[in-house]
Amino acid sequence: MAKAPVLTPRADDFPRWYQDLISKAELADNGPVRGTMVIRPYGYGLWERMQQEMDARIKEAGAQNAYFPLLIPQSYLTREAEHVEGFAPELAVVTHAGGKELEEPVVVRPTSETIVNDYFSKWVQSYRDLPLLINQWANVVRWEMRPRVFLRTTEFLWQEGHTAHATYEDARDYAAHIHEKVYADFMVNVLGIDVVLGRKTPSERFAGAVNTLTLEAMMGDGKALQMGTSHELGQNFAKAFNTRYLSRDGRQELVWQTSWGSSTRMVGGLIMSHGDDSGLRVPPRLASVQAVVLAIKGDDAVLAKVHELGDRLRAAGVRVQVDDRTDVAFGRRAVDWELKGVPVRIEVGPRDLENGTAMLARRIPGGKEAVAIDSLVRLLPAVLEEDQALLLTQSRERRESRTSEVSTIGEAVEAAVADGWARIPWTTLGEEGEAELAAHAVTVRCLVAEDGSVPGSDDAPGNVAVVARAY
């Protein structure tokens, strides 16, 4: 009889494959409260690496990390009408604490624009205090009706940036800088995911923003995933919280603001963008373990060699783990590392030692070859960079091959329902057409200019709507 596959094949049931992979690669478990998740060490290691890479880019953009409370007075959210309306269905509200009913209910943080602005209004006095650039790494709670681990959970981890500026232009340019130089740079060059940078339509905009910039990626099944957003808030929150500064010419002025965020949803995007029927494939630049050195048998010489090789690779800057668990069958260990998507396995047994070689298994392109042990330290950095580039190429080719240029709403729906994307002129679609798409569970993921750049306005000439079904 044929051996049962470790994972449900993607072509048979993509959502089941996704859940299988998360479980069997030991990334996460469902939490005890519906919609919550327990992130296991290997999954959290991926998130930690994302944090490290993102945090460095955020700090290069001039922002500093801070922390704001998890609990927010409910009255704060009501100060900005569009904001509270947008988040009302997702709020978790605490009404009792300390054995009694609270005088004012408090909201478990869904996002921090309101509480941040309460403090910005105290911290900003003069033009000398601007720009004020703050980021926080935190958890948020948005009550999720249809949860899916990493993609949509009631509680998730993220970073949220909040800034205040003296002028509209400064705020606009900073939101665009985060969009391109922080988010897109990380997603393309570290995650190896080809993202489309665009502008959200008014109906898809963040509640309380005047403009939302988004990064959209195509998953392995052709659906879209919003990987991160950067918002121009205008002066909406500044008006609500009276966040003003004394200008150079002595006038009291409202600040202009931005907010921007990315979350553990990126882990889900990583899985669905790069995973295959054998498991996860982790981009080498992201991987917490770039190479694992496996001892095939518990021979003393083999064990000594794998540890020596691990030390040499580590000294060369490779993130490496030695697997000397020879009391566990080699085949099982190899399958486990394949499921986890470690870019490179180096397998060493007694026969390999005799030949002065090791088996080099590359997870991303697949395949194995015997390589001289003495050449591994020299070869591995180039191998890892080749495999990083391959993932990005595959991601881009998938999106380009499954995106259709269409001229009618019907054609756009047909392309999206067939698990692809469509590009349609915004003048053809418009807000009425957007509502028609929604009846087929298809959304406008973003607007782009004819040349693929981010348009300067919703109605700029030549705007193209990118439409798809989405997670």
mmCIF file of all heavy atoms in Angstrom, residues 297-341:
data_model
loop_
_atom_site.group_PDB
_atom_site.id
_atom_site.type_symbol
_atom_site.label_atom_id
_atom_site.label_comp_id
_atom_site.label_asym_id
_atom_site.label_seq_id
_atom_site.Cartn_x
_atom_site.Cartn_y
_atom_site.Cartn_z
ATOM 1 N N LYS A 297 24.101 8.247 12.556
ATOM 2 C CA LYS A 297 24.243 7.191 13.574
ATOM 3 C C LYS A 297 25.058 7.720 14.745
ATOM 4 O O LYS A 297 25.814 8.682 14.618
ATOM 5 C CB LYS A 297 24.913 5.953 12.981
ATOM 6 C CG LYS A 297 24.055 5.220 11.955
ATOM 7 C CD LYS A 297 24.685 3.904 11.531
ATOM 8 C CE LYS A 297 23.776 3.144 10.573
ATOM 9 N NZ LYS A 297 24.383 1.874 10.126
ATOM 10 N N GLY A 298 24.920 7.025 15.901
ATOM 11 C CA GLY A 298 25.599 7.463 17.120
ATOM 12 C C GLY A 298 27.034 7.030 17.224
ATOM 13 O O GLY A 298 27.514 6.689 18.311
ATOM 14 N N ASP A 299 27.733 7.014 16.137
ATOM 15 C CA ASP A 299 29.155 6.680 16.093
ATOM 16 C C ASP A 299 29.947 7.854 16.684
ATOM 17 O O ASP A 299 29.685 9.017 16.384
ATOM 18 C CB ASP A 299 29.520 6.442 14.617
ATOM 19 C CG ASP A 299 30.980 6.129 14.402
ATOM 20 O OD1 ASP A 299 31.778 7.083 14.465
ATOM 21 O OD2 ASP A 299 31.301 4.959 14.155
ATOM 22 N N ASP A 300 30.954 7.564 17.540
ATOM 23 C CA ASP A 300 31.709 8.633 18.199
ATOM 24 C C ASP A 300 32.351 9.586 17.203
ATOM 25 O O ASP A 300 32.347 10.813 17.398
ATOM 26 C CB ASP A 300 32.796 8.041 19.111
ATOM 27 C CG ASP A 300 32.221 7.416 20.370
ATOM 28 O OD1 ASP A 300 31.034 7.688 20.662
ATOM 29 O OD2 ASP A 300 32.942 6.661 21.049
ATOM 30 N N ALA A 301 32.906 9.038 16.136
ATOM 31 C CA ALA A 301 33.562 9.881 15.139
ATOM 32 C C ALA A 301 32.544 10.772 14.419
ATOM 33 O O ALA A 301 32.822 11.945 14.121
ATOM 34 C CB ALA A 301 34.317 9.019 14.126
ATOM 35 N N VAL A 302 31.354 10.211 14.145
ATOM 36 C CA VAL A 302 30.299 10.988 13.489
ATOM 37 C C VAL A 302 29.846 12.129 14.399
ATOM 38 O O VAL A 302 29.713 13.284 13.968
ATOM 39 C CB VAL A 302 29.103 10.084 13.114
ATOM 40 C CG1 VAL A 302 27.892 10.928 12.696
ATOM 41 C CG2 VAL A 302 29.495 9.132 11.991
ATOM 42 N N LEU A 303 29.605 11.805 15.666
ATOM 43 C CA LEU A 303 29.153 12.831 16.608
ATOM 44 C C LEU A 303 30.183 13.947 16.756
ATOM 45 O O LEU A 303 29.840 15.129 16.803
ATOM 46 C CB LEU A 303 28.843 12.204 17.968
ATOM 47 C CG LEU A 303 27.644 11.243 17.997
ATOM 48 C CD1 LEU A 303 27.534 10.569 19.361
ATOM 49 C CD2 LEU A 303 26.354 11.989 17.678
ATOM 50 N N ALA A 304 31.450 13.574 16.809
ATOM 51 C CA ALA A 304 32.501 14.585 16.911
ATOM 52 C C ALA A 304 32.513 15.477 15.673
ATOM 53 O O ALA A 304 32.671 16.703 15.769
ATOM 54 C CB ALA A 304 33.851 13.911 17.098
ATOM 55 N N LYS A 305 32.335 14.861 14.503
ATOM 56 C CA LYS A 305 32.383 15.620 13.252
ATOM 57 C C LYS A 305 31.197 16.578 13.126
ATOM 58 O O LYS A 305 31.372 17.735 12.696
ATOM 59 C CB LYS A 305 32.433 14.670 12.054
ATOM 60 C CG LYS A 305 32.492 15.355 10.692
ATOM 61 C CD LYS A 305 33.671 16.317 10.563
ATOM 62 C CE LYS A 305 34.995 15.582 10.464
ATOM 63 N NZ LYS A 305 36.100 16.548 10.172
ATOM 64 N N VAL A 306 29.979 16.137 13.491
ATOM 65 C CA VAL A 306 28.826 17.034 13.336
ATOM 66 C C VAL A 306 28.950 18.243 14.272
ATOM 67 O O VAL A 306 28.589 19.369 13.909
ATOM 68 C CB VAL A 306 27.471 16.308 13.541
ATOM 69 C CG1 VAL A 306 27.263 15.240 12.475
ATOM 70 C CG2 VAL A 306 27.320 15.732 14.927
ATOM 71 N N HIS A 307 29.492 18.023 15.466
ATOM 72 C CA HIS A 307 29.671 19.148 16.386
ATOM 73 C C HIS A 307 30.777 20.084 15.903
ATOM 74 O O HIS A 307 30.654 21.312 15.995
ATOM 75 C CB HIS A 307 29.951 18.645 17.803
ATOM 76 C CG HIS A 307 28.715 18.169 18.518
ATOM 77 N ND1 HIS A 307 27.801 19.031 19.050
ATOM 78 C CD2 HIS A 307 28.239 16.905 18.741
ATOM 79 C CE1 HIS A 307 26.797 18.341 19.596
ATOM 80 N NE2 HIS A 307 27.045 17.049 19.415
ATOM 81 N N GLU A 308 31.829 19.517 15.354
ATOM 82 C CA GLU A 308 32.895 20.350 14.796
ATOM 83 C C GLU A 308 32.368 21.183 13.634
ATOM 84 O O GLU A 308 32.650 22.389 13.529
ATOM 85 C CB GLU A 308 34.046 19.457 14.319
ATOM 86 C CG GLU A 308 35.176 20.226 13.636
ATOM 87 C CD GLU A 308 36.007 19.347 12.706
ATOM 88 O OE1 GLU A 308 36.191 18.143 13.004
ATOM 89 O OE2 GLU A 308 36.462 19.861 11.662
ATOM 90 N N LEU A 309 31.603 20.523 12.772
ATOM 91 C CA LEU A 309 31.047 21.215 11.610
ATOM 92 C C LEU A 309 30.079 22.316 12.052
ATOM 93 O O LEU A 309 30.070 23.425 11.495
ATOM 94 C CB LEU A 309 30.350 20.211 10.693
ATOM 95 C CG LEU A 309 29.890 20.686 9.319
ATOM 96 C CD1 LEU A 309 31.007 21.390 8.565
ATOM 97 C CD2 LEU A 309 29.356 19.503 8.517
ATOM 98 N N GLY A 310 29.261 22.007 13.065
ATOM 99 C CA GLY A 310 28.354 23.018 13.601
ATOM 100 C C GLY A 310 29.108 24.232 14.113
ATOM 101 O O GLY A 310 28.721 25.384 13.852
ATOM 102 N N ASP A 311 30.194 24.002 14.825
ATOM 103 C CA ASP A 311 30.997 25.108 15.359
ATOM 104 C C ASP A 311 31.606 25.952 14.241
ATOM 105 O O ASP A 311 31.644 27.189 14.315
ATOM 106 C CB ASP A 311 32.113 24.565 16.258
ATOM 107 C CG ASP A 311 31.585 23.995 17.569
ATOM 108 O OD1 ASP A 311 30.439 24.334 17.948
ATOM 109 O OD2 ASP A 311 32.322 23.207 18.206
ATOM 110 N N ARG A 312 32.091 25.274 13.197
ATOM 111 C CA ARG A 312 32.719 25.997 12.085
ATOM 112 C C ARG A 312 31.689 26.846 11.330
ATOM 113 O O ARG A 312 31.967 27.990 10.953
ATOM 114 C CB ARG A 312 33.392 25.009 11.136
ATOM 115 C CG ARG A 312 34.676 24.390 11.701
ATOM 116 C CD ARG A 312 35.188 23.277 10.798
ATOM 117 N NE ARG A 312 35.443 23.734 9.440
ATOM 118 C CZ ARG A 312 35.480 22.930 8.378
ATOM 119 N NH1 ARG A 312 35.267 21.622 8.528
ATOM 120 N NH2 ARG A 312 35.737 23.415 7.193
ATOM 121 N N LEU A 313 30.510 26.279 11.108
ATOM 122 C CA LEU A 313 29.459 27.032 10.417
ATOM 123 C C LEU A 313 28.994 28.215 11.258
ATOM 124 O O LEU A 313 28.772 29.320 10.755
ATOM 125 C CB LEU A 313 28.277 26.116 10.090
ATOM 126 C CG LEU A 313 28.532 25.085 8.988
ATOM 127 C CD1 LEU A 313 27.415 24.045 8.949
ATOM 128 C CD2 LEU A 313 28.643 25.782 7.623
ATOM 129 N N ARG A 314 28.856 28.000 12.555
ATOM 130 C CA ARG A 314 28.438 29.067 13.469
ATOM 131 C C ARG A 314 29.461 30.207 13.450
ATOM 132 O O ARG A 314 29.103 31.387 13.421
ATOM 133 C CB ARG A 314 28.275 28.487 14.873
ATOM 134 C CG ARG A 314 27.381 29.296 15.800
ATOM 135 C CD ARG A 314 27.086 28.535 17.080
ATOM 136 N NE ARG A 314 26.187 27.406 16.858
ATOM 137 C CZ ARG A 314 26.535 26.125 16.994
ATOM 138 N NH1 ARG A 314 27.761 25.802 17.366
ATOM 139 N NH2 ARG A 314 25.646 25.169 16.770
ATOM 140 N N ALA A 315 30.718 29.845 13.456
ATOM 141 C CA ALA A 315 31.785 30.857 13.419
ATOM 142 C C ALA A 315 31.768 31.636 12.112
ATOM 143 O O ALA A 315 32.200 32.792 12.056
ATOM 144 C CB ALA A 315 33.143 30.182 13.618
ATOM 145 N N ALA A 316 31.247 30.998 11.054
ATOM 146 C CA ALA A 316 31.167 31.660 9.747
ATOM 147 C C ALA A 316 29.894 32.501 9.609
ATOM 148 O O ALA A 316 29.640 33.069 8.540
ATOM 149 C CB ALA A 316 31.217 30.616 8.630
ATOM 150 N N GLY A 317 29.089 32.554 10.685
ATOM 151 C CA GLY A 317 27.904 33.399 10.666
ATOM 152 C C GLY A 317 26.617 32.702 10.258
ATOM 153 O O GLY A 317 25.588 33.360 10.070
ATOM 154 N N VAL A 318 26.648 31.382 10.128
ATOM 155 C CA VAL A 318 25.452 30.624 9.770
ATOM 156 C C VAL A 318 24.693 30.268 11.056
ATOM 157 O O VAL A 318 25.290 29.829 12.036
ATOM 158 C CB VAL A 318 25.811 29.334 8.996
ATOM 159 C CG1 VAL A 318 24.558 28.514 8.692
ATOM 160 C CG2 VAL A 318 26.547 29.687 7.702
ATOM 161 N N ARG A 319 23.380 30.478 11.053
ATOM 162 C CA ARG A 319 22.559 30.078 12.197
ATOM 163 C C ARG A 319 22.312 28.574 12.080
ATOM 164 O O ARG A 319 21.572 28.123 11.199
ATOM 165 C CB ARG A 319 21.249 30.868 12.223
ATOM 166 C CG ARG A 319 21.467 32.363 12.469
ATOM 167 C CD ARG A 319 20.162 33.127 12.650
ATOM 168 N NE ARG A 319 19.406 33.252 11.416
ATOM 169 C CZ ARG A 319 19.599 34.187 10.489
ATOM 170 N NH1 ARG A 319 20.576 35.082 10.646
ATOM 171 N NH2 ARG A 319 18.852 34.240 9.401
ATOM 172 N N VAL A 320 22.954 27.807 12.942
ATOM 173 C CA VAL A 320 23.027 26.354 12.769
ATOM 174 C C VAL A 320 22.575 25.634 14.022
ATOM 175 O O VAL A 320 22.715 26.147 15.143
ATOM 176 C CB VAL A 320 24.471 25.935 12.375
ATOM 177 C CG1 VAL A 320 25.451 26.215 13.498
ATOM 178 C CG2 VAL A 320 24.541 24.474 11.974
ATOM 179 N N GLN A 321 21.996 24.464 13.836
ATOM 180 C CA GLN A 321 21.647 23.586 14.955
ATOM 181 C C GLN A 321 22.186 22.193 14.656
ATOM 182 O O GLN A 321 22.094 21.713 13.518
ATOM 183 C CB GLN A 321 20.131 23.530 15.157
ATOM 184 C CG GLN A 321 19.708 22.720 16.374
ATOM 185 C CD GLN A 321 18.250 22.962 16.746
ATOM 186 O OE1 GLN A 321 17.712 24.045 16.515
ATOM 187 N NE2 GLN A 321 17.604 21.955 17.303
ATOM 188 N N VAL A 322 22.770 21.555 15.662
ATOM 189 C CA VAL A 322 23.270 20.185 15.523
ATOM 190 C C VAL A 322 22.207 19.229 16.060
ATOM 191 O O VAL A 322 21.717 19.394 17.175
ATOM 192 C CB VAL A 322 24.598 20.003 16.284
ATOM 193 C CG1 VAL A 322 25.020 18.535 16.286
ATOM 194 C CG2 VAL A 322 25.680 20.882 15.658
ATOM 195 N N ASP A 323 21.837 18.257 15.249
ATOM 196 C CA ASP A 323 20.863 17.242 15.657
ATOM 197 C C ASP A 323 21.619 15.930 15.877
ATOM 198 O O ASP A 323 21.926 15.203 14.934
ATOM 199 C CB ASP A 323 19.791 17.077 14.578
ATOM 200 C CG ASP A 323 18.677 16.115 15.005
ATOM 201 O OD1 ASP A 323 18.869 15.378 15.999
ATOM 202 O OD2 ASP A 323 17.632 16.099 14.337
ATOM 203 N N ASP A 324 21.929 15.659 17.147
ATOM 204 C CA ASP A 324 22.648 14.420 17.478
ATOM 205 C C ASP A 324 21.748 13.439 18.221
ATOM 206 O O ASP A 324 22.221 12.579 18.963
ATOM 207 C CB ASP A 324 23.893 14.745 18.309
ATOM 208 C CG ASP A 324 23.557 15.491 19.603
ATOM 209 O OD1 ASP A 324 22.356 15.716 19.876
ATOM 210 O OD2 ASP A 324 24.500 15.863 20.333
ATOM 211 N N ARG A 325 20.427 13.533 17.980
ATOM 212 C CA ARG A 325 19.467 12.670 18.681
ATOM 213 C C ARG A 325 19.405 11.300 17.995
ATOM 214 O O ARG A 325 18.393 10.933 17.383
ATOM 215 C CB ARG A 325 18.084 13.314 18.690
ATOM 216 C CG ARG A 325 18.021 14.687 19.375
ATOM 217 C CD ARG A 325 16.675 15.357 19.118
ATOM 218 N NE ARG A 325 16.485 15.605 17.683
ATOM 219 C CZ ARG A 325 15.285 15.733 17.099
ATOM 220 N NH1 ARG A 325 14.173 15.604 17.803
ATOM 221 N NH2 ARG A 325 15.197 15.981 15.805
ATOM 222 N N THR A 326 20.481 10.554 18.094
ATOM 223 C CA THR A 326 20.551 9.286 17.359
ATOM 224 C C THR A 326 19.669 8.200 17.964
ATOM 225 O O THR A 326 19.555 7.108 17.401
ATOM 226 C CB THR A 326 22.011 8.796 17.274
ATOM 227 O OG1 THR A 326 22.581 8.776 18.586
ATOM 228 C CG2 THR A 326 22.826 9.720 16.372
ATOM 229 N N ASP A 327 19.013 8.510 19.104
ATOM 230 C CA ASP A 327 18.034 7.561 19.640
ATOM 231 C C ASP A 327 16.689 7.712 18.938
ATOM 232 O O ASP A 327 15.765 6.921 19.160
ATOM 233 C CB ASP A 327 17.854 7.767 21.150
ATOM 234 C CG ASP A 327 17.491 9.195 21.523
ATOM 235 O OD1 ASP A 327 17.786 10.111 20.724
ATOM 236 O OD2 ASP A 327 16.903 9.396 22.604
ATOM 237 N N VAL A 328 16.561 8.725 18.072
ATOM 238 C CA VAL A 328 15.377 8.905 17.235
ATOM 239 C C VAL A 328 15.764 8.521 15.807
ATOM 240 O O VAL A 328 16.837 8.893 15.320
ATOM 241 C CB VAL A 328 14.897 10.373 17.258
ATOM 242 C CG1 VAL A 328 13.700 10.562 16.343
ATOM 243 C CG2 VAL A 328 14.559 10.808 18.684
ATOM 244 N N ALA A 329 14.906 7.763 15.152
ATOM 245 C CA ALA A 329 15.209 7.284 13.797
ATOM 246 C C ALA A 329 15.582 8.450 12.876
ATOM 247 O O ALA A 329 14.937 9.500 12.898
ATOM 248 C CB ALA A 329 14.014 6.527 13.230
ATOM 249 N N PHE A 330 16.613 8.250 12.053
ATOM 250 C CA PHE A 330 17.089 9.303 11.168
ATOM 251 C C PHE A 330 15.982 9.776 10.228
ATOM 252 O O PHE A 330 15.809 10.981 10.007
ATOM 253 C CB PHE A 330 18.291 8.812 10.359
ATOM 254 C CG PHE A 330 18.667 9.748 9.242
ATOM 255 C CD1 PHE A 330 19.307 10.949 9.513
ATOM 256 C CD2 PHE A 330 18.343 9.447 7.919
ATOM 257 C CE1 PHE A 330 19.636 11.829 8.488
ATOM 258 C CE2 PHE A 330 18.673 10.318 6.903
ATOM 259 C CZ PHE A 330 19.319 11.512 7.186
ATOM 260 N N GLY A 331 15.211 8.843 9.662
ATOM 261 C CA GLY A 331 14.158 9.207 8.720
ATOM 262 C C GLY A 331 13.126 10.135 9.345
ATOM 263 O O GLY A 331 12.679 11.102 8.715
ATOM 264 N N ARG A 332 12.780 9.849 10.586
ATOM 265 C CA ARG A 332 11.797 10.698 11.265
ATOM 266 C C ARG A 332 12.351 12.098 11.485
ATOM 267 O O ARG A 332 11.652 13.096 11.294
ATOM 268 C CB ARG A 332 11.406 10.070 12.598
ATOM 269 C CG ARG A 332 10.441 10.927 13.399
ATOM 270 C CD ARG A 332 10.050 10.276 14.708
ATOM 271 N NE ARG A 332 9.326 11.216 15.550
ATOM 272 C CZ ARG A 332 8.889 10.947 16.769
ATOM 273 N NH1 ARG A 332 9.106 9.751 17.301
ATOM 274 N NH2 ARG A 332 8.235 11.850 17.473
ATOM 275 N N ARG A 333 13.622 12.171 11.878
ATOM 276 C CA ARG A 333 14.225 13.483 12.095
ATOM 277 C C ARG A 333 14.306 14.277 10.798
ATOM 278 O O ARG A 333 14.047 15.487 10.771
ATOM 279 C CB ARG A 333 15.612 13.331 12.723
ATOM 280 C CG ARG A 333 15.572 12.892 14.186
ATOM 281 C CD ARG A 333 16.966 12.836 14.783
ATOM 282 N NE ARG A 333 17.740 11.720 14.266
ATOM 283 C CZ ARG A 333 19.029 11.753 13.982
ATOM 284 N NH1 ARG A 333 19.719 12.872 14.138
ATOM 285 N NH2 ARG A 333 19.659 10.680 13.538
ATOM 286 N N ALA A 334 14.682 13.612 9.724
ATOM 287 C CA ALA A 334 14.788 14.288 8.428
ATOM 288 C C ALA A 334 13.429 14.856 7.999
ATOM 289 O O ALA A 334 13.331 15.996 7.526
ATOM 290 C CB ALA A 334 15.331 13.336 7.370
ATOM 291 N N VAL A 335 12.364 14.055 8.201
ATOM 292 C CA VAL A 335 11.017 14.512 7.847
ATOM 293 C C VAL A 335 10.611 15.705 8.711
ATOM 294 O O VAL A 335 10.019 16.680 8.234
ATOM 295 C CB VAL A 335 9.997 13.364 7.975
ATOM 296 C CG1 VAL A 335 8.557 13.894 7.901
ATOM 297 C CG2 VAL A 335 10.220 12.330 6.882
ATOM 298 N N ASP A 336 10.940 15.665 10.001
ATOM 299 C CA ASP A 336 10.600 16.767 10.901
ATOM 300 C C ASP A 336 11.261 18.070 10.470
ATOM 301 O O ASP A 336 10.639 19.132 10.463
ATOM 302 C CB ASP A 336 11.005 16.427 12.341
ATOM 303 C CG ASP A 336 10.054 15.445 13.000
ATOM 304 O OD1 ASP A 336 8.958 15.214 12.444
ATOM 305 O OD2 ASP A 336 10.409 14.896 14.068
ATOM 306 N N TRP A 337 12.553 18.003 10.108
ATOM 307 C CA TRP A 337 13.255 19.213 9.678
ATOM 308 C C TRP A 337 12.715 19.710 8.334
ATOM 309 O O TRP A 337 12.680 20.916 8.076
ATOM 310 C CB TRP A 337 14.752 18.972 9.611
ATOM 311 C CG TRP A 337 15.388 18.842 10.962
ATOM 312 C CD1 TRP A 337 15.984 17.747 11.503
ATOM 313 C CD2 TRP A 337 15.455 19.863 11.972
ATOM 314 N NE1 TRP A 337 16.426 18.003 12.781
ATOM 315 C CE2 TRP A 337 16.123 19.295 13.090
ATOM 316 C CE3 TRP A 337 15.029 21.188 12.047
ATOM 317 C CZ2 TRP A 337 16.349 20.024 14.257
ATOM 318 C CZ3 TRP A 337 15.267 21.909 13.208
ATOM 319 C CH2 TRP A 337 15.923 21.325 14.287
ATOM 320 N N GLU A 338 12.295 18.757 7.487
ATOM 321 C CA GLU A 338 11.693 19.147 6.210
ATOM 322 C C GLU A 338 10.367 19.862 6.446
ATOM 323 O O GLU A 338 10.064 20.879 5.821
ATOM 324 C CB GLU A 338 11.492 17.910 5.334
ATOM 325 C CG GLU A 338 11.174 18.246 3.887
ATOM 326 C CD GLU A 338 11.411 17.064 2.965
ATOM 327 O OE1 GLU A 338 10.597 16.124 3.011
ATOM 328 O OE2 GLU A 338 12.402 17.080 2.216
ATOM 329 N N LEU A 339 9.561 19.332 7.377
ATOM 330 C CA LEU A 339 8.300 19.980 7.731
ATOM 331 C C LEU A 339 8.531 21.402 8.231
ATOM 332 O O LEU A 339 7.779 22.323 7.908
ATOM 333 C CB LEU A 339 7.583 19.182 8.829
ATOM 334 C CG LEU A 339 6.731 17.989 8.400
ATOM 335 C CD1 LEU A 339 6.377 17.136 9.619
ATOM 336 C CD2 LEU A 339 5.453 18.474 7.713
ATOM 337 N N LYS A 340 9.564 21.575 9.015
ATOM 338 C CA LYS A 340 9.862 22.889 9.589
ATOM 339 C C LYS A 340 10.490 23.836 8.575
ATOM 340 O O LYS A 340 10.631 25.035 8.844
ATOM 341 C CB LYS A 340 10.784 22.736 10.806
ATOM 342 C CG LYS A 340 10.083 22.172 12.046
ATOM 343 C CD LYS A 340 11.043 22.052 13.208
ATOM 344 C CE LYS A 340 10.321 21.876 14.544
ATOM 345 N NZ LYS A 340 9.561 20.629 14.634
ATOM 346 N N GLY A 341 10.875 23.322 7.430
ATOM 347 C CA GLY A 341 11.346 24.185 6.356
ATOM 348 C C GLY A 341 12.737 24.744 6.508
ATOM 349 O O GLY A 341 13.083 25.750 5.876
#
